[in-house]
Amino acid sequence: MTRPRGTRSGRPRGDHPGPTARPARPQDPGARAQLPVPRHGSPSPAPGSPSGEARTPANASRTGPCNESPGTSPEGPPSGVRAGGTYPGGVRAGRTVRGGQAGTGIRAPVAAGAVSSPRAVTPSGPGTEAGPEPPCPGRPDDSERLARAALSRIAEPGDALVGRWIATHGAGAVLEAVSGQGPPLDGAGEQRWAGLRLRATRARPHDDLAAIERLGGRFVCPGDAEWPRQLDDLGPAKPVGLWARGEPSLRVWALRSVAVVGARACTEYGAHCAAVLGAGLAERGWAVVSGAAYGIDSAAHRGALAVRGPTIAILACGADVAYPPGNQELIRALGERGLIVAELPPGDHPTRSRFVLRNRVIAALTRGTVVVEAALRSGALVTARRALALGRHVMGMPGPVTSGLSQGVHELLRGEAMVVTDVDEVIELVGSMGELAPVRRGPAVPRDALSPGAARVLDAVPGRGACEPARIACSAGVPPEVALARLHELRTLGFVERDGDRWQLARRAKGHSIE
């Protein structure tokens, strides 16, 4: 017997009538205000749906894995979110429901008799109900996305403890704990918990998602189709999520990417090298990744933009904050023609520690890191050391030994870094097998084609004036008849000329007998 779709053991669900249908259970009027805190893997019901079921809109996209486009979820919007702009993953703008913390997206725990969150269904025709869609493995749902968006404002970037909590308990459980709605997790003291809960009071994931959407951006989570999997090499210190601006796919661009970093107070030599390197990499189809700072970073970005190539800026602040202020036009161009990526939610400003922590993302995202100019205490060296620890290629462009801005690069080159001088040498290291840099040789001269015997006789011809063949033979250490034969050969080739019975260098070669 074929089981009807959307039923269990042949029994219709909810309030859909059928041969053995039971009366629909009345819904508790206060249940809507007592929805659970978002947990990983547990979709929330949509308000107004029968029996709390979240229905998929008729115009929803059905492309990609699990019949959904990247960044969407088969479940409807989470409960407590009013109509408005749709965020990545189907999250919609608005306020939260009664019973939760206003404006935070953190909802109250379930009370007795509250309605649980059923699975989403899609109508397939009059009087029928489509079965539940299979879950997409690894794809974060709406509650997971909201929890990660909140945690990106609560926890500092690279917080390994929070990363271990998320890996063990899920983002929803961690958010519940730090917001005071659940028991504390292991590994943190009272002061740490007090700080996390204080920061949780200012978490507004719905507002942050609305802000990034107004900029034309999105919030990328681990498990999304756009998530760069190489960031997983950071382990528990990997980003909770990434706030991205720009049309291109972050994952696709990051597959062929090189970081170009260096000093902010760079020299003209360093700025020139960075700009040429950035333009060359972009022309060859490699994305140039840097931090949009002054100096080497700006030169590398501008070089890639000049040839209309791919470039990614990793910021130490929110994706909507133009920092440093002097690079506002550059950051605007990066958002329009490239990609801007940030760990911090919109509106957050940089700190000294966040600059250092940002460098680990640059190192992990790219195949290799090139340091153009760096002093001994430069932050670019932090990126290089992170890249070495992750097994990425580290390269350095040498500079004058008298320049303090090149001392850090030279220290790297004394260790495990490789010397590079142009784009071809960089791609030889980070590219695919067979992408080799051309062999460099000096210019070829006509003398290179001479046989050893002819070259010896040519060396014996004096640089000035003419000389008898016997004297030339004596200087070359060969018999006179051999020397004479070689002199006629050299005359044919244009190296020497005859003056009566004497021989001398041709006019174009006078004074340069070695050429």
Side-chain angles (χ1 to χ4, degrees):
M1 176 178 180
T2 303
R3 179 183 300 176
R5 299 184 65 185
T7 65
R8 294 182 179 178
S9 303
R11 178 179 299 170
R13 296 174 55 190
D15 53 358
H16 294 273
T20 59
R22 293 181 298 179
R25 181 178 180 179
Q27 187 173 355
D28 185 0
R32 189 182 179 196
Q34 298 173 344
L35 297 176
V37 174
R39 289 181 181 272
H40 174 65
S42 60
S44 303
S49 299
S51 300
E53 292 178 349
R55 296 186 178 272
T56 306
N59 60 349
S61 173
R62 293 292 175 187
T63 60
C66 299
N67 293 329
E68 58 176 303
S69 60
T72 63
S73 174
E75 292 83 3
S79 179
V81 182
R82 66 181 180 184
T86 302
Y87 306 117
V91 183
R92 300 180 66 83
R95 56 180 176 80
T96 55
V97 298
R98 298 183 304 274
Q101 298 181 12
T104 64
I106 303 173
R107 288 169 281 178
V110 177
V115 179
S116 60
S117 302
R119 293 174 293 179
V121 295
T122 304
S124 58
T128 63
E129 182 181 2
E133 295 184 2
C136 185
R139 179 70 57 81
D141 56 17
D142 294 341
S143 59
E144 174 82 3
R145 192 176 304 277
L146 278 172
R148 286 182 175 271
L151 290 174
S152 70
R153 186 172 290 279
I154 296 171
E156 280 294 306
D159 193 326
L161 178 60
V162 174
R164 285 192 292 269
W165 286 343
I166 294 175
T168 304
H169 306 284
V174 176
L175 178 59
E176 182 179 352
V178 300
S179 61
Q181 300 180 17
L185 304 177
D186 297 334
E190 294 183 2
Q191 291 185 351
R192 180 73 184 278
W193 277 110
L196 289 173
R197 287 173 174 169
L198 181 62
R199 298 185 71 168
T201 59
R202 66 185 183 95
R204 302 290 187 271
H206 291 286
D207 295 344
D208 291 336
L209 291 170
I212 196 66
E213 187 188 51
R214 286 193 297 270
L215 297 171
R218 63 271 185 199
F219 181 58
V220 184
C221 297
D224 283 341
E226 195 179 355
W227 178 260
R229 296 184 181 178
Q230 58 266 40
L231 292 180
D232 297 340
D233 294 345
L234 293 171
K238 72 179 181 182
V240 175
L242 293 174
W243 304 84
R245 288 174 55 194
E247 293 296 331
S249 168
L250 174 60
R251 177 178 175 273
V252 172
W253 273 18
L255 289 176
R256 285 172 58 90
S257 60
V258 177
V260 181
V261 297
R264 287 174 293 177
C266 65
T267 64
E268 292 184 4
Y269 161 81
H272 171 76
C273 290
V276 171
L277 184 61
L281 287 168
E283 285 182 324
R284 300 279 289 272
W286 288 82
V288 178
V289 180
S290 199
Y294 294 131
I296 298 299
D297 291 16
S298 299
H301 286 308
R302 289 191 173 99
L305 291 174
V307 297
R308 300 184 180 277
T311 180
I312 305 173
I314 310 295
L315 303 184
C317 52
D320 60 339
V321 178
Y323 189 90
N327 280 351
Q328 289 186 9
E329 290 299 319
L330 173 62
I331 295 174
R332 180 188 58 79
L334 289 170
E336 294 174 354
R337 297 158 54 189
L339 274 174
I340 294 178
V341 179
E343 283 187 84
L344 296 165
D348 259 14
H349 292 273
T351 62
R352 182 181 295 273
S353 62
R354 288 173 175 178
F355 281 113
V356 176
L357 293 167
R358 178 269 310 270
N359 293 339
R360 85 192 194 287
V361 179
I362 297 177
L365 188 67
T366 55
R367 289 194 185 183
T369 298
V370 183
V371 184
V372 178
E373 273 189 333
L376 292 174
R377 288 182 54 85
S378 173
L381 301 183
V382 177
T383 308
R385 296 187 184 105
R386 284 278 191 172
L388 282 174
L390 293 168
R392 308 295 197 265
H393 294 283
V394 175
M395 298 150 278
M397 276 194 165
V401 296
T402 56
S403 173
L405 290 175
S406 294
Q407 290 181 0
V409 181
H410 297 160
E411 283 297 315
L412 283 177
L413 297 177
R414 284 168 54 85
E416 300 182 30
M418 297 291 294
V419 177
V420 292
T421 59
D422 59 13
V423 176
D424 293 324
E425 293 176 353
V426 174
I427 295 178
E428 181 179 20
L429 288 174
V430 302
S432 304
M433 185 177 296
E435 293 186 271
L436 302 177
V439 179
R440 288 169 172 75
R441 295 188 177 93
V445 295
R447 182 184 175 88
D448 296 338
L450 295 178
S451 64
R456 173 181 283 190
V457 173
L458 180 60
D459 288 340
V461 178
R464 294 183 180 181
C467 185
E468 295 80 5
R471 183 177 175 184
I472 295 174
C474 181
S475 298
V478 297
E481 59 275 12
V482 174
L484 186 60
R486 296 289 180 264
L487 287 171
H488 283 286
E489 178 184 343
L490 292 170
R491 179 186 179 186
T492 303
L493 295 174
F495 285 95
V496 297
E497 59 188 12
R498 189 172 182 176
D499 184 12
D501 293 335
R502 309 172 75 183
W503 294 81
Q504 63 183 8
L505 294 175
R507 293 182 181 276
R508 65 176 182 84
K510 280 188 177 181
H512 302 279
S513 60
I514 63 172
E515 293 183 0

